[in-house]
Amino acid sequence: MHDAGVDRRSFLSASVSLLLCGSAGAGGANPVAAAKTYAFEKAAWFDGHAFRAGAFYSVGGVLTFDRPGKVDEFVDLRGGYVVPPFAEAHNHNIEPRPKLAEVIRRYLTDGIFYVKVPANPPRAKVALQDLINKRDSIDVVFSNGCLTATGGHPMPLGQRNLERSGRAEDWAEGRFYFTIDGVEDLERKWPQVLESKPDFIKVLLQYSEEYGLRHANPLFNDWSGLNPAIVPLVVERAHAAGLRVSCHIETAADFHNALVAGVDEINHMPGLRPDRNDWVDVQIERYRISKADAELAARSGTVVVTTFVTAIARIDKANAGEAFREWRELLIWNLRVLKEAGVALAVGSDRYSDTAVAEAFALHSLGVFSNSELLRMWCDTSARTIFPGRKIGALREGYEASFLVLSGNPLSDFNAVRGIGRRFKQGQFIEM
Ligand SMILES: [Zn+2]
């Protein structure tokens, strides 16, 4: 939600029915092809740490290393490097919009099979159901409307879209966002939240250490969020409904408040951007994650979704007088303190015009992670935080038979993740 260069106005007039018609005949899942048994030979497959030689098989869409009695097709992978599919743990670009088919194609081209959308017009999930979540497309989960407080992020975005003749059913309160200013609001609106059938719940904390000062204060329009005392109550209700909770954060205090509230996933890291995008007068220490909080995140099993690409791009074109060096060091400190504590880190870009490829390369540029660590974050942790109930993210016995074949070894050169030769999803090749 921070891709300032994108004007979402142009997407509001998308004709959903046209979109759906346009995709008819593109080819849905073919159950006959899916049932085919494949033997994959002459490849090296990623075991989460290194590449191993040896054949593997797809039987009924499930991966196995035990040779089945009957094989329909032997596939010579010509020395390719096989990795699990990549994932995008934070993006808003899957919504009813013209050229959605191109966006989906770009994800598949990038080798990204799983996408998480934390805050969207609730219509998206229903309107797009024929285009996504099938064997030859990307699999997507949606939070639908997110929970914030009056004046909090992203309420002004919803209001702006309404003023620009966006549909009320998409952007109004109770649709794109819910304002929860107290327990009464939560009790009254929670049934409405559940009614939209979200895949998970998205809540927002933003400078929560100053909630009293910022709440509904026009000086801090779009730079506040929920009262942190509300978040544990949301988590309790969400968990009772079988839903995980993702929490937007910006400061180290938000990070702490999200953790003690018991959220399952933290979106963004302190260092995403300075207060009100003022890059000159920054308070670095406000964004530094403490070792104690990093250890708490690790103990709680809370997944942290990075979304640093925009900050890194901003640092790269900093002006004189801006605290870009200190900021870059802050990003490295925060990633390192989480990594050393053993926190599960997922790769999400939050870039409307991009995919998680941009985030993976941005993280790579900071030099905090080895290529192997980065691959695990991108394939495994990211996929599991999107679909925690599925056997995906690793090349393991009994997991979904989904993978990418790279022509080069990404452990020796990370650029190899761009050289995808073939894509295989749930038992069949994706033809591009
Ligand atoms: Zn976002």
Side-chain angles (χ1 to χ4, degrees):
M1 224 165 290
H2 310 290
D3 205 349
V6 172
D7 183 354
R8 297 177 81 169
R9 251 183 315 180
S10 54
F11 305 126
L12 295 172
S13 57
S15 160
V16 177
S17 58
L18 193 75
L19 246 166
L20 297 179
C21 290
S23 78
N30 180 343
V32 178
K36 211 160 147 180
T37 295
Y38 287 94
F40 298 102
E41 300 174 312
K42 300 207 177 81
W45 56 273
F46 187 58
D47 71 359
H49 297 273
F51 282 94
R52 290 210 226 173
F56 59 96
Y57 310 87
S58 170
V59 180
V62 175
L63 189 78
T64 178
F65 293 92
D66 293 330
R67 190 183 166 142
K70 171 181 151 292
V71 171
D72 298 315
E73 191 175 335
F74 290 86
V75 182
D76 180 350
L77 292 178
R78 298 158 193 264
Y81 293 84
V82 178
V83 295
F86 305 133
E88 165 64 281
H90 190 128
N91 211 315
H92 305 274
N93 60 8
I94 305 298
E95 60 173 350
R97 56 186 284 191
K99 300 188 178 171
L100 180 67
E102 275 174 35
V103 177
I104 292 171
R105 194 182 159 80
R106 174 156 184 212
Y107 273 108
L108 294 173
T109 301
D110 286 350
I112 294 170
F113 290 3
Y114 317 111
V115 184
K116 190 163 192 171
V117 181
N120 56 280
R123 182 168 63 104
K125 193 183 166 186
V126 180
L128 306 180
Q129 62 186 355
D130 292 339
L131 292 177
I132 55 177
N133 296 320
K134 53 182 190 165
R135 206 184 300 273
D136 58 353
S137 184
I138 51 174
D139 297 337
V140 189
V141 291
F142 298 92
S143 76
N144 297 339
C146 56
L147 277 58
T148 187
T150 298
H153 183 63
M155 177 178 170
L157 172 67
Q159 291 175 325
R160 212 155 46 233
N161 283 339
L162 277 179
E163 283 159 19
R164 293 167 174 178
S165 68
R167 301 179 184 207
E169 60 165 317
D170 286 336
W171 301 108
E173 202 277 337
R175 297 289 182 164
F176 179 57
Y177 65 93
F178 295 88
T179 48
I180 310 290
D181 292 339
V183 183
E184 312 72 41
D185 284 341
L186 180 60
E187 277 168 3
R188 193 159 45 83
K189 296 178 185 182
W190 184 250
Q192 231 183 310
V193 173
L194 292 183
E195 217 170 278
S196 80
K197 297 198 166 52
D199 295 314
F200 64 101
I201 299 295
K202 168 83 177 286
V203 297
L204 289 103
L205 287 177
Q206 203 161 345
Y207 294 83
S208 52
E209 65 273 36
E210 290 182 0
Y211 176 77
L213 168 70
R214 294 184 179 227
H215 174 62
N217 180 344
L219 289 176
F220 296 95
N221 194 35
D222 207 26
W223 287 89
S224 66
L226 287 167
N227 181 340
I230 289 285
V231 180
L233 307 177
V234 177
V235 171
E236 193 184 314
R237 282 167 174 76
H239 287 178
L243 298 168
R244 291 168 89 234
V245 178
S246 298
C247 184
H248 170 116
I249 62 105
E250 302 220 11
T251 64
D254 294 336
F255 187 84
H256 177 81
N257 287 335
L259 283 176
V260 297
V263 306
D264 305 282
E265 187 186 80
I266 288 177
N267 279 215
H268 314 304
M269 287 174 56
L272 169 74
R273 54 182 178 175
D275 190 10
R276 287 163 290 173
N277 287 317
D278 178 353
W279 286 83
V280 177
D281 188 19
V282 301
Q283 298 171 271
I284 291 281
E285 293 314 311
R286 189 170 205 172
Y287 307 98
R288 192 179 301 282
I289 298 174
S290 70
K291 280 186 184 165
D293 277 343
E295 282 157 14
L296 177 57
R299 274 201 308 279
S300 323
T302 314
V303 177
V304 176
V305 182
T306 54
T307 76
F308 267 165
V309 57
T310 299
I312 292 167
R314 181 65 181 74
I315 288 166
D316 287 345
K317 55 173 191 194
N319 304 307
E322 292 179 343
F324 59 93
R325 242 182 240 106
E326 297 88 329
W327 201 266
R328 191 171 186 278
E329 279 161 18
L330 170 77
L331 303 188
I332 291 171
W333 164 278
N334 281 348
L335 287 167
R336 200 160 269 156
V337 78
L338 295 183
K339 172 185 153 170
E340 281 166 9
V343 176
L345 290 160
V347 177
S349 74
D350 197 17
R351 289 249 275 204
Y352 197 87
S353 57
D354 233 316
T355 74
V357 169
E359 181 72 13
F361 277 91
L363 291 173
H364 185 258
S365 77
L366 293 179
V368 174
F369 305 102
S370 70
N371 292 2
S372 171
E373 287 165 341
L374 203 43
L375 268 183
R376 267 200 307 284
M377 286 160 59
W378 196 13
C379 302
D380 193 355
T381 312
S382 303
R384 281 188 294 112
T385 200
I386 300 173
F387 291 104
R390 282 169 63 176
K391 290 182 167 179
I392 55 174
L395 304 172
R396 215 168 279 158
E397 184 71 28
Y399 272 46
E400 291 182 23
S402 300
F403 57 83
L404 311 169
V405 185
L406 310 178
S407 50
N409 183 345
L411 297 186
S412 44
D413 178 4
F414 196 70
N415 289 305
V417 300
R418 301 297 280 148
I420 303 172
R422 305 189 79 174
R423 297 154 185 83
F424 194 81
K425 184 162 181 267
Q426 293 170 300
Q428 69 185 38
F429 284 104
I430 295 179
E431 302 308 335
M432 298 300 295

Short mmCIF file of all heavy atoms in Angstrom, two decimals, residues 1-2 90-92 118-119 153 202 248 267-268 307 350-351, ligand 1:
data_model
loop_
_atom_site.label_atom_id
_atom_site.label_comp_id
_atom_site.label_asym_id
_atom_site.label_seq_id
_atom_site.Cartn_x
_atom_site.Cartn_y
_atom_site.Cartn_z
N MET A 1 0.82 -1.20 0.00
CA MET A 1 0.00 0.00 0.00
C MET A 1 0.86 1.25 0.00
O MET A 1 0.42 2.31 0.35
CB MET A 1 -0.85 0.00 1.25
CG MET A 1 -2.26 0.38 0.99
SD MET A 1 -3.22 -0.07 2.40
CE MET A 1 -3.20 -1.83 2.27
N HIS A 2 2.15 1.09 -0.36
CA HIS A 2 3.03 2.24 -0.29
C HIS A 2 3.61 2.56 -1.65
O HIS A 2 4.57 3.27 -1.77
CB HIS A 2 4.13 1.97 0.73
CG HIS A 2 3.56 1.48 2.00
ND1 HIS A 2 2.85 2.29 2.84
CD2 HIS A 2 3.53 0.25 2.55
CE1 HIS A 2 2.42 1.57 3.87
NE2 HIS A 2 2.82 0.34 3.70
N HIS A 90 3.26 -10.41 0.23
CA HIS A 90 2.55 -9.14 0.47
C HIS A 90 2.44 -8.35 -0.83
O HIS A 90 3.40 -7.74 -1.28
CB HIS A 90 3.28 -8.30 1.52
CG HIS A 90 2.51 -7.11 2.00
ND1 HIS A 90 2.28 -6.85 3.33
CD2 HIS A 90 1.90 -6.10 1.33
CE1 HIS A 90 1.58 -5.73 3.46
NE2 HIS A 90 1.33 -5.25 2.24
N ASN A 91 1.26 -8.36 -1.42
CA ASN A 91 1.00 -7.49 -2.57
C ASN A 91 -0.50 -7.25 -2.68
O ASN A 91 -1.29 -8.08 -2.25
CB ASN A 91 1.56 -8.08 -3.87
CG ASN A 91 1.99 -6.98 -4.83
OD1 ASN A 91 1.27 -6.01 -5.03
ND2 ASN A 91 3.17 -7.14 -5.43
N HIS A 92 -0.86 -6.11 -3.26
CA HIS A 92 -2.28 -5.76 -3.42
C HIS A 92 -2.68 -5.76 -4.89
O HIS A 92 -3.77 -5.31 -5.23
CB HIS A 92 -2.55 -4.38 -2.81
CG HIS A 92 -2.14 -4.27 -1.38
ND1 HIS A 92 -2.96 -4.66 -0.34
CD2 HIS A 92 -0.98 -3.86 -0.81
CE1 HIS A 92 -2.32 -4.47 0.81
NE2 HIS A 92 -1.12 -3.99 0.55
N PRO A 118 -2.98 -8.62 1.60
CA PRO A 118 -3.42 -8.16 2.92
C PRO A 118 -4.12 -6.80 2.83
O PRO A 118 -3.48 -5.78 3.00
CB PRO A 118 -2.11 -8.04 3.71
CG PRO A 118 -1.04 -7.90 2.66
CD PRO A 118 -1.61 -8.17 1.31
N ALA A 119 -5.39 -6.80 2.58
CA ALA A 119 -6.28 -5.63 2.43
C ALA A 119 -6.63 -5.47 0.96
O ALA A 119 -5.77 -5.23 0.11
CB ALA A 119 -5.69 -4.34 2.97
N HIS A 153 -4.35 4.55 8.75
CA HIS A 153 -3.99 3.91 7.49
C HIS A 153 -4.80 2.63 7.35
O HIS A 153 -4.92 1.90 8.32
CB HIS A 153 -2.48 3.61 7.53
CG HIS A 153 -1.93 3.02 6.29
ND1 HIS A 153 -1.92 3.68 5.10
CD2 HIS A 153 -1.36 1.80 6.06
CE1 HIS A 153 -1.36 2.90 4.18
NE2 HIS A 153 -1.01 1.76 4.74
N LYS A 202 -6.44 -8.89 8.63
CA LYS A 202 -5.37 -7.88 8.60
C LYS A 202 -5.72 -6.74 9.55
O LYS A 202 -6.80 -6.16 9.45
CB LYS A 202 -5.22 -7.34 7.17
CG LYS A 202 -4.36 -6.08 7.03
CD LYS A 202 -2.88 -6.40 6.96
CE LYS A 202 -2.03 -5.16 6.74
NZ LYS A 202 -2.09 -4.62 5.40
N HIS A 248 0.06 -5.00 10.25
CA HIS A 248 0.91 -3.94 9.69
C HIS A 248 1.59 -3.21 10.85
O HIS A 248 0.93 -2.86 11.82
CB HIS A 248 0.02 -2.98 8.89
CG HIS A 248 0.67 -1.71 8.44
ND1 HIS A 248 0.84 -1.40 7.11
CD2 HIS A 248 1.17 -0.65 9.13
CE1 HIS A 248 1.43 -0.22 7.00
NE2 HIS A 248 1.64 0.26 8.21
N ASN A 267 3.59 -7.67 9.24
CA ASN A 267 3.80 -7.18 7.88
C ASN A 267 4.57 -5.87 7.92
O ASN A 267 4.16 -4.95 8.62
CB ASN A 267 2.46 -6.96 7.17
CG ASN A 267 1.89 -8.26 6.60
OD1 ASN A 267 1.26 -8.27 5.55
ND2 ASN A 267 2.11 -9.37 7.30
N HIS A 268 5.63 -5.83 7.15
CA HIS A 268 6.61 -4.74 7.14
C HIS A 268 7.52 -4.93 8.34
O HIS A 268 7.21 -5.68 9.26
CB HIS A 268 5.98 -3.34 7.18
CG HIS A 268 4.84 -3.17 6.24
ND1 HIS A 268 4.96 -3.40 4.89
CD2 HIS A 268 3.54 -2.82 6.44
CE1 HIS A 268 3.79 -3.17 4.31
NE2 HIS A 268 2.91 -2.83 5.22
N THR A 307 9.15 -6.70 3.16
CA THR A 307 8.75 -5.50 2.38
C THR A 307 9.74 -4.33 2.49
O THR A 307 9.36 -3.22 2.84
CB THR A 307 7.33 -4.99 2.74
OG1 THR A 307 7.34 -4.30 3.97
CG2 THR A 307 6.31 -6.10 2.76
N ASP A 350 5.15 -5.74 -1.41
CA ASP A 350 4.20 -4.63 -1.27
C ASP A 350 4.37 -3.61 -2.40
O ASP A 350 4.15 -2.43 -2.19
CB ASP A 350 4.33 -3.95 0.10
CG ASP A 350 3.10 -3.09 0.43
OD1 ASP A 350 2.05 -3.27 -0.22
OD2 ASP A 350 3.19 -2.24 1.33
N ARG A 351 4.76 -4.07 -3.58
CA ARG A 351 4.90 -3.16 -4.72
C ARG A 351 3.86 -3.53 -5.77
O ARG A 351 3.95 -4.59 -6.39
CB ARG A 351 6.30 -3.28 -5.32
CG ARG A 351 7.34 -2.69 -4.42
CD ARG A 351 7.91 -1.44 -5.02
NE ARG A 351 8.98 -1.76 -5.93
CZ ARG A 351 9.95 -0.92 -6.24
NH1 ARG A 351 9.97 0.28 -5.73
NH2 ARG A 351 10.88 -1.27 -7.08
ZN ZN B 1 0.48 -3.32 1.91
#
